[in-house]
Amino acid sequence: MSFQQALSGLNAAAKNLDVIGNNVANANTIGFKGGRAEFADVYAASVVSSTASQSGIGTKVAAVTQQFTQGSITTTSNPYDVAISGNGFFRMDNQGATVYTRNGQFHRDDSGYLVNAEGLKLTGYSVNNNGQVVTAQPQPLQLVVNSIEAKATTKATQSVILDSRKPAIADNVAFDKNNSDTFTDANSMSLYDSLGNSHLLSVYYRKTDPGQWDTYYSFDGGAAQKMSSMEFNTSGQLQSIDGNPDKLQPTITIPAADMTTGAADLTFTYDMTKTTQTGQAFSTNTQTQDGYSSGRLTGFSIDETGSLLASYSNQQSRVQGQIALGMFNNPTGLASIGGNNFAETAASGTPRLGSPGSSDFGTVRSGALEEANIDLTAELVNMITAQRGYQANAQTIKTQDSIMQTIVNLR
C-alpha cells in the first residue's frame, strides 16, 4: 500500500498555497509581479515496465514562475515616482552590482542621486557639455542643483504677413519711427545681451512698391536705422533681401555703447525667411530668439522618454540625464532576490538596454507608480481550490490508512 501519491499531492498543494499566500501578502507592494506554481506528474522509470499498467507515483512542483503582466498605474504626489508602461525594468546600481526592478518609488538622496528605499541608485545615460544624451555605459543618475548663465541672443526669427493691399509710401516721405504715416506696420520683440539684460527691438515695415518693402529697426527706443529692402515674387514669397536671393537673414550688430549695461556688443542674425506678402491684414506668425537671462533652479521633472529635466526661473530647461531600461528575452528566467529586485541569470539571457519609448521599450510616467499585478479575487478563488486539493489528498491518505488497517486485521 503506497501513500506516496497522496503525500506528493499534499506537498504540491502546500507549495501552491505558499505561492498564493505570497501573492496575497504582496498585493499592495509596488511593482510586484505575482508568482504561479506549475506542476508535473511523476511516473516510475523502468525499462521493463509497461506503460499500460503505470498508475503514476504522484506530482511535483515543476517551477514557480513570475508573471510579468502589466500592473495598474496610479498617480502620486511625488514627481520622482516613476511607472513603466510596457516592457522593461529599471536598472539599479547596488554598490557596483546591477539588479533590475519594476518598483519606481524613487527619491533624491543627500548627494542628488535618485535612489529607492534600500539606497540602490537608479542608472541611466549622462549628458555631455552640449546637453546631449550620451547612450554609452549607464551610470547612476544624479540631479545637480545649479543655476544657468545668461546667454546673449545670436539668432532672432520673426515671420510676418505683410498686407499687399496697403498703398506704397512715396519716396519723398522720409521715414520717422514716431510718425505712423511714414511706415506701413510695425512690431517688436525682446532680445538679451551677454549679461542677460532684456532689450526691446522694434521693427518697422514700409511698403515702397507693389513687391518691395523696406525694413527699419530701433533698439531700446533709440534712433532708427535701415535694416534691409525685401522683394517678393508674384506668389507673395520672399525672393531676395537687398537684391541677394541667397541671404534672407541679415546680420545686426548693436554696439556695447548703445546698451549702457556693461555687456559686450550684441550681434545676431535676423531670420526673415518665412515672411510673406498676401491680401490679408498684417500679423506676426513666428517670433523667437535664442537668448535668455540667468536663471535659478525651480524644480525637476521626468518626461515619458525618461529624460530628467531641470527647470529654471528664466523659463529654460536642461536635460541632466535619461533613464535607461533593461529588457530580457526571457524575463521569467530572472532570479527573484527580494526587495522587489531581480537578478540576471543564464536562463534570462543578457539584458538589452534602451531609452523609454524607443524600439519596443515601454514609456515611463513620472508622478505615478505601477501597482502589483495581483487580482485578489482570483487569488482567493485559487486559494479555495488549493485548499480543496489539500483536503482531497488528505482524504486519500485516510482511505489508504483504513484499507491498510483492514488488511492488518485479517485473520
Side-chain angles (χ1 to χ4, degrees):
M1 197 63 65
S2 174
F3 292 89
Q4 184 172 339
Q5 293 90 337
L7 183 59
S8 68
L10 287 176
N11 290 333
K15 184 65 174 181
N16 196 17
L17 284 169
D18 288 343
V19 174
I20 295 170
N22 187 56
N23 291 343
V24 173
N26 285 282
N28 294 320
T29 301
I30 296 300
F32 176 77
K33 298 303 178 184
R36 183 180 69 185
E38 299 177 355
F39 305 100
D41 55 2
V42 179
Y43 281 84
S46 173
V47 294
V48 296
S49 64
S50 171
T51 57
S53 62
Q54 284 185 297
S55 61
I57 56 175
T59 186
K60 67 177 181 179
V61 178
V64 177
T65 60
Q66 301 291 140
Q67 305 301 298
F68 288 96
T69 56
Q70 178 74 45
S72 300
I73 293 178
T74 57
T75 58
T76 70
S77 58
N78 180 7
Y80 302 118
D81 286 341
V82 186
I84 299 175
S85 178
N87 299 322
F89 295 83
F90 296 114
R91 187 179 184 276
M92 309 299 295
D93 177 72
N94 184 12
Q95 299 181 345
T98 302
V99 297
Y100 300 86
T101 184
R102 292 280 293 198
N103 186 345
Q105 292 177 302
F106 303 124
H107 64 273
R108 289 175 61 218
D109 67 8
D110 56 358
S111 299
Y113 289 102
L114 285 180
V115 299
N116 62 14
E118 296 180 322
L120 277 62
K121 297 176 180 177
L122 177 64
T123 67
Y125 303 123
S126 60
V127 296
N128 59 22
N129 294 333
N130 297 322
Q132 298 172 322
V133 175
V134 180
T135 56
Q137 179 65 27
Q139 58 188 10
L141 292 172
Q142 185 179 27
L143 296 175
V144 181
V145 177
N146 60 2
S147 298
I148 57 175
E149 300 286 337
K151 179 180 183 297
T153 299
T154 59
K155 181 177 182 179
T157 300
Q158 188 161 240
S159 65
V160 300
I161 296 176
L162 300 173
D163 192 345
S164 64
R165 300 167 298 181
K166 293 289 185 70
I169 298 174
D171 292 341
N172 60 357
V173 178
F175 171 78
D176 181 358
K177 72 182 183 68
N178 297 314
N179 183 356
S180 60
D181 291 333
T182 65
F183 57 88
T184 310
D185 289 296
N187 62 6
S188 60
M189 67 187 302
S190 295
L191 306 177
Y192 292 90
D193 63 26
S194 60
L195 299 179
N197 298 299
S198 177
H199 300 274
L200 187 67
L201 179 74
S202 299
V203 180
Y204 305 88
Y205 302 90
R206 172 182 164 111
K207 186 176 182 180
T208 57
D209 278 312
Q212 184 169 324
W213 296 67
D214 288 346
T215 57
Y216 298 80
Y217 70 89
S218 171
F219 190 79
D220 282 346
Q225 300 184 51
K226 186 174 181 180
M227 180 164 54
S228 62
S229 291
M230 300 184 294
E231 295 181 353
F232 296 86
N233 59 27
T234 55
S235 298
Q237 305 300 313
L238 182 60
Q239 182 171 283
S240 66
I241 291 181
D242 295 332
N244 188 346
D246 299 321
K247 190 175 182 181
L248 305 182
Q249 302 179 27
T251 299
I252 299 175
T253 297
I254 309 297
D258 292 350
M259 291 185 285
T260 67
T261 60
D265 292 352
L266 179 61
T267 300
F268 59 94
T269 58
Y270 191 79
D271 188 352
M272 306 165 70
T273 307
K274 301 299 182 181
T275 296
T276 59
Q277 176 187 242
T278 63
Q280 57 181 297
F282 174 84
S283 64
T284 302
N285 283 342
T286 304
Q287 191 177 71
T288 62
Q289 58 84 39
D290 61 354
Y292 46 81
S293 63
S294 59
R296 70 182 191 283
L297 181 71
T298 57
F300 294 103
S301 62
I302 303 173
D303 67 15
E304 66 178 10
T305 66
S307 296
L308 309 182
L309 303 175
S311 301
Y312 299 89
S313 58
N314 58 0
Q315 310 306 312
Q316 298 297 308
S317 63
R318 293 289 182 272
V319 176
Q320 291 198 0
Q322 186 180 32
I323 295 172
L325 298 181
M327 190 150 56
F328 296 86
N329 290 332
N330 177 29
T332 59
L334 292 169
S336 297
I337 57 175
N340 239 3
N341 298 316
F342 299 93
E344 172 189 342
T345 68
S348 68
T350 56
R352 178 163 53 94
L353 304 182
S355 56
S358 66
S359 184
D360 53 345
F361 287 89
T363 58
V364 295
R365 179 179 171 185
S366 67
L369 291 171
E370 181 190 10
E371 296 182 347
N373 63 346
I374 301 300
D375 182 344
L376 274 178
T377 301
E379 293 299 327
L380 292 175
V381 171
N382 292 338
M383 188 181 298
I384 293 172
T385 303
Q387 180 185 12
R388 292 292 181 251
Y390 193 96
Q391 291 173 332
N393 281 284
Q395 185 63 39
T396 299
I397 291 178
K398 183 178 179 181
T399 302
Q400 291 274 28
D401 178 64
S402 177
I403 295 174
M404 180 172 289
Q405 186 64 37
T406 300
I407 294 174
V408 170
N409 292 333
L410 287 176
R411 294 291 187 269

